[in-house]
Amino acid sequence: MQLQKIIKGILAYRGTARKQMVEQFKRIKNDPAPKAVLFTCMDSRVLPTRFTQSDVGDMFVVRNAGNLVPHAKLFGTELVVTTEPAALELACVVNKIRDVIVCGHSDCKAMNLLHAVRTPEEMMKTPSSPLRQWVSRHGATSLTHWEKFEASGFKAPLTFNLGSKTVVTHIDPDNKFEATDKLSQINALTQLQNVASYPFMQPLIKTGEMRLHALWFDIYTGEIYYFSQKKGAFAIVNEETSTDIMDEISAMYIHSEKAVAA
């Protein structure tokens, strides 16, 4: 895409959406009150505000290669502290957001790379590559889960500790997706485990005040999947399933309200 297209887009925005957005900015200036923080991939095909129909001030969005959230045990061990823990603290401690979402997607180039570097030969290639270092380090646990799943013929359930509960999970039970897409779904849940690893998150998760969610976006069909802890699987979000999904989420909110009241 040429930069000229971006400039033309800015001009089009000035003539269409700018006035409305400025009015929205004015309304939420002193109380933006975002309701969620979403960690997702930087892939240009993934447009979270569009497929969630979110508006100005609705949520924080944190993007990187592979929607990875470094585990708390790695905090401060790198030459430069990564953005993700800081974003999590800003959202959940400073702004008191109580819904954290990790969203993966199909044909994720970071997950494709993670799948490729699982062999010793591949891991030795370009060891100075920041991207390879990033996905290898922070995707290692996801890959371990995937290898266990592969060894079972992609049939055995996996177990994820999502903070306040351990969830037995069936990844792609209908075997619809490629191996790398199965890894992408596993990675979304693994990153939720990493979100739960931070000390400032643990008390809120333990009491039920903090709610953890996973989404998965299929770029080929445009379908969105929500991870149902009740079913232990990613469920497509559509007109037929939305009531059950909303009921499950509502139950989380009722539990949170009781926790706050206590």
Side-chain angles (χ1 to χ4, degrees):
M1 182 177 70
Q2 297 179 337
L3 188 61
Q4 287 91 328
K5 183 176 180 181
I6 293 176
I7 299 301
K8 289 179 180 178
I10 294 172
L11 292 175
Y13 149 78
R14 286 177 57 82
T16 55
R18 174 173 170 259
K19 183 177 180 180
Q20 180 183 358
M21 286 185 69
V22 169
E23 290 303 315
Q24 290 175 312
F25 292 147
K26 289 178 181 178
R27 286 198 298 271
I28 66 170
K29 178 181 177 181
N30 296 320
D31 187 25
K35 298 300 186 291
V37 54
L38 174 75
F39 291 87
T40 193
C41 189
M42 63 186 288
D43 193 301
S44 61
R45 299 167 294 178
V46 177
L47 302 172
T49 55
R50 185 175 295 182
F51 66 65
T52 62
Q53 294 292 286
S54 298
D55 214 334
V56 171
D58 283 349
M59 66 180 178
F60 289 157
V61 179
V62 185
R63 305 186 68 156
N64 62 37
N67 45 270
L68 300 172
V69 181
H71 194 281
K73 67 184 179 183
L74 299 175
F75 178 75
T77 61
E78 307 203 12
L79 293 178
V80 178
V81 176
T82 58
T83 301
E84 295 74 23
L88 191 62
E89 183 179 8
L90 176 63
C92 299
V93 178
V94 178
N95 284 273
K96 301 187 184 308
I97 285 173
R98 293 296 180 258
D99 287 285
V100 180
I101 309 162
V102 174
C103 179
H105 67 98
S106 60
D107 191 35
C108 177
K109 304 310 181 186
M111 291 300 101
N112 294 351
L113 177 60
L114 179 62
H115 183 265
V117 300
R118 71 191 189 283
T119 64
E121 296 80 11
E122 284 293 330
M123 292 189 78
M124 291 302 294
K125 293 180 181 178
T126 57
S128 62
S129 162
L131 179 58
R132 281 175 177 256
Q133 292 285 338
W134 169 255
V135 299
S136 297
R137 184 166 196 175
H138 302 301
T141 303
S142 299
L143 190 56
T144 298
H145 283 307
W146 182 89
E147 288 173 338
K148 179 181 177 182
F149 188 43
E150 181 194 32
S152 75
F154 298 119
K155 294 179 180 178
L158 298 173
T159 300
F160 292 91
N161 182 5
L162 301 183
S164 61
K165 63 168 67 175
T166 299
V167 182
V168 177
T169 302
H170 300 273
I171 298 294
D172 189 19
D174 297 326
N175 198 30
K176 297 188 335 186
F177 301 110
E178 300 291 332
T180 49
D181 291 339
K182 298 180 201 296
L183 174 58
S184 175
Q185 292 189 353
I186 288 169
N187 180 65
L189 298 175
T190 303
Q191 301 313 310
L192 275 188
Q193 289 189 146
N194 291 350
V195 166
S197 71
Y198 285 87
F200 58 81
M201 297 290 289
Q202 290 170 359
L204 295 170
I205 292 171
K206 187 174 293 186
T207 61
E209 283 186 67
M210 185 67 67
R211 299 167 293 271
L212 305 181
H213 314 273
L215 295 174
W216 195 76
F217 176 49
D218 186 355
I219 63 168
Y220 296 116
T221 64
E223 297 287 8
I224 313 295
Y225 293 76
Y226 176 80
F227 181 73
S228 167
Q229 295 187 27
K230 183 178 179 180
K231 296 180 179 179
F234 280 95
I236 193 169
V237 180
N238 60 26
E239 290 72 19
E240 295 178 0
T241 65
S242 60
T243 299
D244 286 345
I245 292 171
M246 294 296 285
D247 286 347
E248 181 176 338
I249 295 171
S250 294
M252 289 185 181
Y253 278 88
I254 292 170
H255 182 66
S256 295
E257 290 169 0
K258 289 181 178 178
V260 172

